[in-house]
Amino acid sequence: MLFGKEHVQRYQQTDGAEGHDWNGTTTLLLTTTGRKSGEKYTTPLIYQQQGDDYVVVASKGGDPRHPEWYLNLQADPAVEVQVKDRKFKARARTAKPDEKPELWGVMTRVWPDYDNYQTKTDREIPVVVLEPVEPLN
């Protein structure tokens, strides 16, 4: 099973043929700009598509701190996304309180552990909506 940098590399090398389908669900690659370094960071994340948008969860396995990628997109919501061989620029935003319950339900249906992660932390785990802006390829 692929994890971390190896997951990113295999996904990029194969246009998602290896890495998109992962552990019974699907993943995309999210590239954010480091809020301190200005460097690009790419993270594989479980996703679901909702209309034209893509939804991911900033769970960090229930850690009390937000994942770095979430802090980065809060500072700069202009991100890049790869879903299989489709690459595009997107605008990332935290789901609004009125839309989060529905989106949380969508995500827990494909990865039930999100509910367990939420019980492990006092932090409210954010749901992030990635709104495509323009194609990269």
Side-chain angles (χ1 to χ4, degrees):
M1 188 178 314
L2 296 172
F3 289 102
K5 288 181 182 177
E6 182 187 6
H7 191 159
V8 171
Q9 290 170 345
R10 296 300 301 148
Y11 198 118
Q12 291 171 330
Q13 291 167 350
T14 66
D15 281 337
E18 291 181 42
H20 177 265
D21 296 339
W22 179 85
N23 209 21
T25 188
T26 55
T27 65
L28 56 69
L29 298 182
L30 175 68
T31 301
T32 59
T33 302
R35 64 197 179 286
K36 298 175 187 170
S37 69
E39 293 182 31
K40 299 283 188 183
Y41 295 97
T42 302
T43 308
L45 297 168
I46 294 168
Y47 79 94
Q48 284 292 283
Q49 190 167 357
Q50 289 291 103
D52 293 333
D53 300 334
Y54 294 83
V55 179
V56 296
V57 177
S59 68
K60 200 175 180 184
D63 193 272
R65 296 167 308 241
H66 289 306
E68 292 296 317
W69 64 263
Y70 180 72
L71 299 174
N72 289 342
L73 67 78
Q74 283 187 307
D76 182 358
V79 298
E80 295 176 3
V81 179
Q82 181 174 345
V83 179
K84 294 186 178 180
D85 64 347
R86 181 173 179 234
K87 300 172 186 172
F88 55 93
K89 292 183 180 182
R91 181 183 161 275
R93 65 175 178 83
T94 303
K96 298 172 195 149
D98 64 326
E99 65 185 341
K100 183 183 176 186
E102 177 185 347
L103 297 176
W104 182 264
V106 166
M107 295 307 293
T108 56
R109 280 192 287 284
V110 296
W111 196 256
D113 278 345
Y114 287 135
D115 281 331
N116 298 333
Y117 300 160
Q118 186 60 78
T119 64
K120 290 169 51 177
T121 183
D122 292 333
R123 165 178 76 88
E124 183 176 336
I125 295 176
V127 173
V128 175
V129 179
L130 305 170
E131 302 170 332
V133 175
E134 65 182 74
L136 284 172
N137 57 351

